[in-house]
Short mmCIF file of all heavy atoms in Angstrom, two decimals:
data_model
loop_
_atom_site.label_atom_id
_atom_site.label_comp_id
_atom_site.label_asym_id
_atom_site.label_seq_id
_atom_site.Cartn_x
_atom_site.Cartn_y
_atom_site.Cartn_z
N SER D 1 78.77 301.32 -57.84
CA SER D 1 78.75 302.70 -57.36
C SER D 1 77.76 302.76 -56.20
O SER D 1 77.08 301.78 -55.88
CB SER D 1 78.32 303.65 -58.48
OG SER D 1 76.99 303.38 -58.85
N SER D 2 77.67 303.92 -55.58
CA SER D 2 76.72 304.08 -54.46
C SER D 2 75.30 303.80 -54.90
O SER D 2 74.48 303.31 -54.12
CB SER D 2 76.82 305.50 -53.89
OG SER D 2 78.07 305.66 -53.27
N ASP D 3 74.98 304.09 -56.16
CA ASP D 3 73.63 303.86 -56.66
C ASP D 3 73.27 302.38 -56.71
O ASP D 3 72.10 302.03 -56.64
CB ASP D 3 73.47 304.46 -58.06
CG ASP D 3 73.69 305.96 -58.07
OD1 ASP D 3 73.55 306.59 -57.00
OD2 ASP D 3 74.01 306.49 -59.14
N THR D 4 74.26 301.51 -56.85
CA THR D 4 73.98 300.08 -56.96
C THR D 4 73.96 299.37 -55.60
O THR D 4 73.57 298.21 -55.54
CB THR D 4 75.01 299.39 -57.87
OG1 THR D 4 76.31 299.56 -57.32
CG2 THR D 4 74.96 299.96 -59.28
N LEU D 5 74.39 300.04 -54.54
CA LEU D 5 74.39 299.44 -53.20
C LEU D 5 73.10 299.80 -52.46
O LEU D 5 72.60 300.92 -52.59
CB LEU D 5 75.58 299.95 -52.38
CG LEU D 5 76.96 299.52 -52.84
CD1 LEU D 5 78.02 300.20 -51.99
CD2 LEU D 5 77.11 298.01 -52.74
N PRO D 6 72.58 298.89 -51.66
CA PRO D 6 71.41 299.24 -50.84
C PRO D 6 71.76 300.34 -49.84
O PRO D 6 72.90 300.41 -49.36
CB PRO D 6 71.08 297.94 -50.10
CG PRO D 6 71.84 296.87 -50.79
CD PRO D 6 72.99 297.51 -51.50
N ARG D 7 70.82 301.20 -49.53
CA ARG D 7 71.08 302.31 -48.59
C ARG D 7 71.52 301.80 -47.22
O ARG D 7 72.25 302.46 -46.51
CB ARG D 7 69.83 303.17 -48.44
CG ARG D 7 69.48 303.91 -49.71
CD ARG D 7 69.31 305.38 -49.42
NE ARG D 7 68.90 306.10 -50.60
CZ ARG D 7 69.76 306.74 -51.38
NH1 ARG D 7 71.02 306.75 -51.09
NH2 ARG D 7 69.33 307.37 -52.45
N ARG D 8 71.04 300.61 -46.84
CA ARG D 8 71.38 300.07 -45.52
C ARG D 8 72.70 299.32 -45.51
O ARG D 8 73.10 298.78 -44.48
CB ARG D 8 70.27 299.14 -45.03
CG ARG D 8 68.98 299.89 -44.75
CD ARG D 8 67.94 298.96 -44.19
NE ARG D 8 67.55 298.01 -45.23
CZ ARG D 8 67.05 296.81 -45.01
NH1 ARG D 8 66.87 296.39 -43.79
NH2 ARG D 8 66.71 296.02 -46.01
N PHE D 9 73.39 299.25 -46.64
CA PHE D 9 74.69 298.57 -46.69
C PHE D 9 75.63 299.27 -45.72
O PHE D 9 75.68 300.50 -45.67
CB PHE D 9 75.23 298.60 -48.13
CG PHE D 9 76.35 297.65 -48.37
CD1 PHE D 9 76.10 296.29 -48.48
CD2 PHE D 9 77.65 298.10 -48.46
CE1 PHE D 9 77.13 295.39 -48.69
CE2 PHE D 9 78.69 297.20 -48.67
CZ PHE D 9 78.43 295.85 -48.79
N PRO D 10 76.41 298.53 -44.92
CA PRO D 10 77.20 299.16 -43.85
C PRO D 10 78.27 300.15 -44.31
O PRO D 10 78.60 301.07 -43.58
CB PRO D 10 77.84 297.98 -43.12
CG PRO D 10 77.63 296.79 -43.97
CD PRO D 10 76.53 297.09 -44.93
N ILE D 11 78.81 299.98 -45.52
CA ILE D 11 79.84 300.91 -46.01
C ILE D 11 79.36 301.50 -47.32
O ILE D 11 79.18 300.78 -48.30
CB ILE D 11 81.18 300.20 -46.21
CG1 ILE D 11 81.69 299.62 -44.89
CG2 ILE D 11 82.21 301.16 -46.79
CD1 ILE D 11 82.95 298.79 -45.03
N GLN D 12 79.16 302.80 -47.36
CA GLN D 12 78.79 303.48 -48.59
C GLN D 12 80.08 303.88 -49.32
O GLN D 12 81.11 304.11 -48.69
CB GLN D 12 77.92 304.70 -48.30
CG GLN D 12 76.54 304.34 -47.77
CD GLN D 12 75.74 303.51 -48.77
OE1 GLN D 12 75.67 303.84 -49.94
NE2 GLN D 12 75.18 302.41 -48.30
N LEU D 13 80.01 303.96 -50.63
CA LEU D 13 81.18 304.27 -51.44
C LEU D 13 81.40 305.77 -51.51
O LEU D 13 81.08 306.44 -52.49
CB LEU D 13 81.03 303.67 -52.84
CG LEU D 13 81.14 302.16 -52.89
CD1 LEU D 13 80.87 301.66 -54.30
CD2 LEU D 13 82.50 301.70 -52.42
N ARG D 14 81.97 306.29 -50.43
CA ARG D 14 82.35 307.70 -50.35
C ARG D 14 83.72 307.75 -49.67
O ARG D 14 84.07 306.88 -48.89
CB ARG D 14 81.32 308.52 -49.58
CG ARG D 14 79.94 308.52 -50.25
CD ARG D 14 79.03 309.59 -49.69
NE ARG D 14 79.43 310.94 -50.03
CZ ARG D 14 79.18 311.55 -51.19
NH1 ARG D 14 78.56 310.91 -52.16
NH2 ARG D 14 79.55 312.79 -51.39
N THR D 15 84.48 308.78 -49.98
CA THR D 15 85.83 308.87 -49.42
C THR D 15 85.81 308.95 -47.90
O THR D 15 86.71 308.43 -47.25
CB THR D 15 86.59 310.08 -50.00
OG1 THR D 15 85.81 311.26 -49.81
CG2 THR D 15 86.90 309.89 -51.47
N LYS D 16 84.78 309.56 -47.31
CA LYS D 16 84.75 309.66 -45.84
C LYS D 16 84.57 308.28 -45.21
O LYS D 16 85.07 308.03 -44.12
CB LYS D 16 83.66 310.62 -45.37
CG LYS D 16 82.25 310.14 -45.58
CD LYS D 16 81.25 311.15 -45.03
CE LYS D 16 79.83 310.64 -45.24
NZ LYS D 16 78.86 311.59 -44.71
N ASN D 17 83.88 307.35 -45.89
CA ASN D 17 83.73 306.00 -45.37
C ASN D 17 84.96 305.15 -45.60
O ASN D 17 85.22 304.22 -44.85
CB ASN D 17 82.51 305.32 -45.99
CG ASN D 17 81.24 306.09 -45.73
OD1 ASN D 17 80.79 306.81 -46.60
ND2 ASN D 17 80.70 305.97 -44.54
N MET D 18 85.72 305.42 -46.64
CA MET D 18 86.93 304.66 -46.94
C MET D 18 88.12 305.18 -46.15
O MET D 18 89.19 304.59 -46.18
CB MET D 18 87.25 304.73 -48.44
CG MET D 18 86.25 304.04 -49.31
SD MET D 18 86.25 302.28 -48.98
CE MET D 18 84.70 301.83 -49.69
N GLY D 19 87.93 306.27 -45.42
CA GLY D 19 89.00 306.84 -44.61
C GLY D 19 89.52 305.87 -43.56
O GLY D 19 90.65 305.99 -43.12
N LEU D 20 88.70 304.92 -43.14
CA LEU D 20 89.16 303.91 -42.19
C LEU D 20 90.26 303.05 -42.80
O LEU D 20 91.18 302.62 -42.12
CB LEU D 20 87.99 303.00 -41.79
CG LEU D 20 86.83 303.66 -41.06
CD1 LEU D 20 85.66 302.70 -40.96
CD2 LEU D 20 87.28 304.09 -39.69
N PHE D 21 90.17 302.79 -44.10
CA PHE D 21 91.13 301.94 -44.78
C PHE D 21 92.27 302.73 -45.39
O PHE D 21 93.41 302.28 -45.41
CB PHE D 21 90.44 301.13 -45.88
CG PHE D 21 89.21 300.41 -45.40
CD1 PHE D 21 87.96 300.84 -45.76
CD2 PHE D 21 89.32 299.31 -44.56
CE1 PHE D 21 86.83 300.18 -45.32
CE2 PHE D 21 88.20 298.65 -44.11
CZ PHE D 21 86.94 299.09 -44.49
N VAL D 22 91.95 303.90 -45.96
CA VAL D 22 92.94 304.76 -46.62
C VAL D 22 92.71 306.20 -46.15
O VAL D 22 91.95 306.95 -46.78
CB VAL D 22 92.81 304.66 -48.16
CG1 VAL D 22 93.94 305.42 -48.84
CG2 VAL D 22 92.78 303.23 -48.64
N PRO D 23 93.32 306.61 -45.04
CA PRO D 23 93.06 307.95 -44.48
C PRO D 23 93.35 309.11 -45.44
O PRO D 23 92.68 310.14 -45.38
CB PRO D 23 93.99 308.02 -43.26
CG PRO D 23 94.32 306.60 -42.94
CD PRO D 23 94.23 305.83 -44.23
N GLN D 24 94.29 308.94 -46.36
CA GLN D 24 94.66 310.03 -47.27
C GLN D 24 93.51 310.38 -48.22
O GLN D 24 93.44 311.50 -48.72
CB GLN D 24 95.90 309.66 -48.09
CG GLN D 24 97.14 309.44 -47.29
CD GLN D 24 97.24 308.00 -46.77
OE1 GLN D 24 96.32 307.20 -46.86
NE2 GLN D 24 98.39 307.68 -46.19
N LEU D 25 92.63 309.45 -48.50
CA LEU D 25 91.52 309.73 -49.43
C LEU D 25 90.64 310.86 -48.94
O LEU D 25 90.28 311.75 -49.69
CB LEU D 25 90.65 308.47 -49.64
CG LEU D 25 91.15 307.46 -50.63
CD1 LEU D 25 90.19 306.28 -50.70
CD2 LEU D 25 91.33 308.06 -52.00
N GLN D 26 90.27 310.83 -47.67
CA GLN D 26 89.41 311.88 -47.12
C GLN D 26 90.14 313.22 -47.10
O GLN D 26 89.52 314.26 -47.31
CB GLN D 26 88.95 311.48 -45.70
CG GLN D 26 88.14 312.53 -44.99
CD GLN D 26 86.84 312.91 -45.70
OE1 GLN D 26 86.35 312.21 -46.59
NE2 GLN D 26 86.28 314.03 -45.31
N GLU D 27 91.44 313.20 -46.88
CA GLU D 27 92.21 314.45 -46.87
C GLU D 27 92.30 315.05 -48.28
O GLU D 27 92.13 316.25 -48.47
CB GLU D 27 93.62 314.20 -46.34
CG GLU D 27 93.66 313.78 -44.88
CD GLU D 27 95.03 313.28 -44.45
OE1 GLU D 27 96.02 313.50 -45.20
OE2 GLU D 27 95.11 312.67 -43.39
N LEU D 28 92.58 314.22 -49.27
CA LEU D 28 92.74 314.70 -50.64
C LEU D 28 91.41 315.02 -51.32
O LEU D 28 91.31 315.97 -52.10
CB LEU D 28 93.50 313.67 -51.49
CG LEU D 28 94.95 313.43 -51.11
CD1 LEU D 28 95.51 312.24 -51.88
CD2 LEU D 28 95.78 314.68 -51.38
N TYR D 29 90.39 314.20 -51.06
CA TYR D 29 89.09 314.33 -51.73
C TYR D 29 87.98 314.25 -50.68
O TYR D 29 87.36 313.20 -50.50
CB TYR D 29 88.90 313.22 -52.76
CG TYR D 29 90.03 313.11 -53.75
CD1 TYR D 29 90.99 312.10 -53.63
CD2 TYR D 29 90.16 314.00 -54.80
CE1 TYR D 29 92.02 311.99 -54.52
CE2 TYR D 29 91.19 313.89 -55.71
CZ TYR D 29 92.12 312.89 -55.56
OH TYR D 29 93.16 312.78 -56.46
N PRO D 30 87.72 315.35 -49.96
CA PRO D 30 86.72 315.30 -48.87
C PRO D 30 85.32 314.93 -49.37
O PRO D 30 84.78 315.56 -50.27
CB PRO D 30 86.73 316.71 -48.29
CG PRO D 30 87.92 317.39 -48.87
CD PRO D 30 88.32 316.65 -50.11
N ASP D 31 84.77 313.90 -48.79
CA ASP D 31 83.39 313.44 -49.01
C ASP D 31 82.99 313.37 -50.48
O ASP D 31 81.94 313.87 -50.88
CB ASP D 31 82.41 314.30 -48.21
CG ASP D 31 81.08 313.60 -48.04
OD1 ASP D 31 81.03 312.35 -48.10
OD2 ASP D 31 80.07 314.29 -47.85
N ARG D 32 83.82 312.72 -51.28
CA ARG D 32 83.52 312.53 -52.71
C ARG D 32 82.99 311.12 -52.93
O ARG D 32 83.37 310.18 -52.23
CB ARG D 32 84.78 312.72 -53.57
CG ARG D 32 85.38 314.10 -53.56
CD ARG D 32 84.52 315.19 -54.12
NE ARG D 32 83.83 314.80 -55.33
CZ ARG D 32 82.66 315.30 -55.72
NH1 ARG D 32 82.05 316.20 -55.00
NH2 ARG D 32 82.11 314.89 -56.84
N PRO D 33 82.11 310.93 -53.93
CA PRO D 33 81.65 309.58 -54.26
C PRO D 33 82.78 308.76 -54.87
O PRO D 33 83.73 309.31 -55.44
CB PRO D 33 80.53 309.82 -55.26
CG PRO D 33 80.73 311.19 -55.78
CD PRO D 33 81.48 311.97 -54.75
N MET D 34 82.63 307.44 -54.74
CA MET D 34 83.63 306.53 -55.28
C MET D 34 82.94 305.45 -56.11
O MET D 34 81.74 305.24 -55.98
CB MET D 34 84.43 305.87 -54.15
CG MET D 34 85.24 306.86 -53.32
SD MET D 34 86.26 306.03 -52.09
CE MET D 34 87.47 305.22 -53.14
N GLU D 35 83.72 304.79 -56.94
CA GLU D 35 83.25 303.64 -57.72
C GLU D 35 84.26 302.52 -57.59
O GLU D 35 85.45 302.78 -57.39
CB GLU D 35 83.10 304.00 -59.20
CG GLU D 35 81.98 304.96 -59.48
CD GLU D 35 81.83 305.28 -60.96
OE1 GLU D 35 82.60 304.71 -61.77
OE2 GLU D 35 80.97 306.09 -61.29
#
């Protein structure tokens, strides 16, 4: 989860960051945490 990743890790586990790979995630679940 985001809690287990270092803050400086380049990709945080949030839907807005995964939008590059899966654009529908940000549309369906704006800025939600991911695991």
Side-chain angles (χ1 to χ4, degrees):
S1 66
S2 293
D3 299 338
T4 60
L5 293 175
R7 293 232 183 263
R8 293 184 293 155
F9 195 75
I11 299 174
Q12 292 298 313
L13 289 176
R14 298 194 70 80
T15 54
K16 70 178 181 180
N17 302 100
M18 294 295 162
L20 297 170
F21 309 108
V22 187
Q24 297 86 350
L25 278 179
Q26 176 60 16
E27 295 169 14
L28 294 171
Y29 308 103
D31 199 24
R32 296 296 318 152
M34 296 185 70
E35 291 181 2

